[in-house]
């Protein structure tokens, strides 16, 4: 007899029936990724923790709005991103985050020669990303780190498609210029 771990769809089905063990299992599977997503946007560890916790509460209470259980992860991430952007707008301040607290890497060579890019350390790229304007930093994080396409970023940031393209283009250029000075 072998023990198998329930898949996400089965757990979501159990969560719909208010099974607390299933909710805990879902939380354990997703909390690190959701925390890191919030942290990249709000740049404050405590705020990111609060946003992540609230996002799970929202998700579990509004599970009836989720049409496809297979899309739970993407749906939860969208809740986290929207809550993070709302918190960022409310606070309208820029807080520094220690590089060691961020658990991801940035791999965009767009416009830089490959040998130059590999010489730039991840910490330098991340600290430089944090020096950008909030809108630039958020747009680049959503696009390159979170993997959202332009249409999704338009919806998340509530901007037009052409504004999104311009914002990301300017943000990339700003990041490139700052990295060349390092």
């Amino acid at each position: 007899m072998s023990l198998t771990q329930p898949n996400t769809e089965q757990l979501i089905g159990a969560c719909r029936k208010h099974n607390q063990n299933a909710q805990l299992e879902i939380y354990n599977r997703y909390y690190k990724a959701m925390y890191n997503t919030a942290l990249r946007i709000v740049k404050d560890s405590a705020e990111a923790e609060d946003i992540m916790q609230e996002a799970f509460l929202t998700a579990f209470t509004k599970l009836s709005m989720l049409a496809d259980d297979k899309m739970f992860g993407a749906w939860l991430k969208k809740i986290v991103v929207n809550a993070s952007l709302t918190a960022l707008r409310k606070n309208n301040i820029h807080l520094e985050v220690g590089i060691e607290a961020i658990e991801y890497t940035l791999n965009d060579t767009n416009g830089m020669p490959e040998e130059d890019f590999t010489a730039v350390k991840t910490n330098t790229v991340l600290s430089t990303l944090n020096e950008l304007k909030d809108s630039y930093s958020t747009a680049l994080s959503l696009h390159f780190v979170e993997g959202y396409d332009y249409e999704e970023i338009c919806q998340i940031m509530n901007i037009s498609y052409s504004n999104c393209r311009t914002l990301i283009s300017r943000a990339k250029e700003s990041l490139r210029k700052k990295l060349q000075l390092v």
Side-chain angles (χ1 to χ4, degrees):
M1 181 173 157
S2 65
L3 298 175
T4 59
Q5 201 173 31
N7 65 30
T8 303
E9 295 86 54
Q10 291 170 327
L11 287 171
I12 297 302
C15 287
R16 287 181 192 275
K17 297 175 184 169
H18 307 289
N19 181 323
Q20 290 182 347
N21 290 330
Q23 290 174 339
L24 180 60
E25 180 62 28
I26 287 290
Y27 177 84
N28 287 333
R29 288 185 186 186
Y30 287 97
Y31 82 92
K32 286 181 186 175
M34 297 306 120
Y35 169 78
N36 286 330
T37 297
L39 182 62
R40 280 189 290 275
I41 296 171
V42 297
K43 298 177 180 82
D44 178 73
S45 183
E47 182 82 16
E49 179 79 21
D50 289 345
I51 290 168
M52 184 259 314
Q53 296 287 340
E54 289 295 323
F56 275 101
L57 289 173
T58 300
F60 289 139
T61 57
K62 297 188 177 190
L63 224 95
S64 62
M65 298 175 74
L66 178 63
D68 184 0
D69 290 353
K70 293 178 184 174
M71 299 302 294
F72 178 79
W75 182 65
L76 179 61
K77 184 181 267 189
K78 191 167 187 168
I79 293 170
V80 170
V81 168
N82 287 334
S84 299
L85 290 172
T86 300
L88 189 64
R89 279 187 221 109
K90 281 182 183 176
N91 294 337
N92 201 20
I93 57 173
H94 180 73
L95 299 174
E96 293 298 318
V97 176
I99 296 301
E100 65 280 352
I102 302 174
E103 301 176 18
Y104 68 91
T105 59
L106 182 63
N107 294 319
D108 175 35
T109 61
N110 202 357
M112 291 180 75
E114 187 67 33
E115 62 275 0
D116 290 346
F117 186 77
T118 55
V120 178
K121 296 187 187 248
T122 302
N123 289 347
T124 304
V125 173
L126 293 174
S127 64
T128 305
L129 185 65
N130 283 333
E131 293 172 10
L132 298 177
K133 291 180 8 179
D134 282 342
S135 60
Y136 286 3
S137 174
T138 300
L140 289 178
S141 290
L142 288 172
H143 187 60
F144 292 119
V145 178
E146 301 301 330
Y148 286 110
D149 62 24
Y150 286 176
E151 289 86 10
E152 293 169 320
I153 294 170
C154 291
Q155 292 175 343
I156 291 168
M157 296 183 75
N158 197 24
I159 58 177
S160 70
Y161 186 81
S162 59
N163 284 351
C164 180
R165 289 182 50 150
T166 301
L167 179 67
I168 290 176
S169 175
R170 289 179 182 168
K172 283 193 236 178
E173 186 60 29
S174 179
L175 182 62
R176 272 190 214 104
K177 284 180 182 177
K178 286 186 181 282
L179 286 172
Q180 288 174 349
L181 297 175
V182 174

